[in-house]
Amino acid sequence: MLELTMASVSGADAGATAGMLMADAPSEPGAVLRVGRDRNVCRLVTPDDWLFVSRTHLEFRCGPDGDWSVNWLRGSNPDPASEVRLVSGGAARTLVYGGAAPLPRGGSGEVVIQDRYGPRSVNVGYYHEG
């Protein structure tokens, strides 16, 4: 099972949790949870006017072995308007545009989508059961 919690934070709200959303999916091969602005495709949806987030920005996918990964999907622009960081075990690393990273089984962490041009971010916490 993968559990996600998403909070949107904007300038004056820094430090406050705004727009808390939750989603989960069983660890079955092919299971997918998406984050973005498109309500028809994404289980966790950001504000419509937050254009630094693509229509479908992140995809959490369960592989054939039951392990989950996060993928930063390439949008329609060659250069992204955001940066994505994966924070796990006290360490942070940047996820490359179009790249993917495994999520530790039995672990938790956070994926942060940071607006490059303003003080806004989308914080997606995750817990992957072991």
Side-chain angles (χ1 to χ4, degrees):
M1 172 82 64
L2 181 71
E3 298 173 355
L4 300 178
T5 305
M6 184 182 84
S8 304
V9 180
S10 178
D13 296 330
T17 302
M20 182 72 78
L21 299 171
M22 297 176 69
D24 61 26
S27 292
E28 296 173 354
V32 176
L33 289 169
R34 293 183 182 95
V35 177
R37 291 182 292 122
D38 188 339
R39 295 182 189 288
N40 295 318
V41 178
C42 300
R43 292 269 307 273
L44 296 175
V45 181
T46 63
D48 291 335
D49 62 342
W50 284 30
L51 301 180
F52 70 97
V53 177
S54 301
R55 286 180 182 88
T56 307
H57 201 89
L58 298 177
E59 183 175 82
F60 292 83
R61 179 173 291 280
C62 186
D65 54 1
D67 287 334
W68 286 86
S69 63
V70 59
N71 303 278
W72 181 5
L73 303 175
R74 292 188 71 86
S76 57
N77 295 323
D79 295 317
S82 63
E83 296 176 356
V84 175
R85 290 186 315 279
L86 179 62
V87 182
S88 179
R93 67 179 179 138
T94 300
L95 192 60
V96 297
Y97 188 42
L103 300 179
R105 186 181 287 263
S108 63
E110 185 174 43
V111 180
V112 179
I113 306 168
Q114 180 70 51
D115 185 350
R116 286 187 169 173
Y117 306 105
R120 299 180 296 184
S121 67
V122 176
N123 299 44
V124 181
Y126 68 85
Y127 174 70
H128 181 198
E129 288 183 358

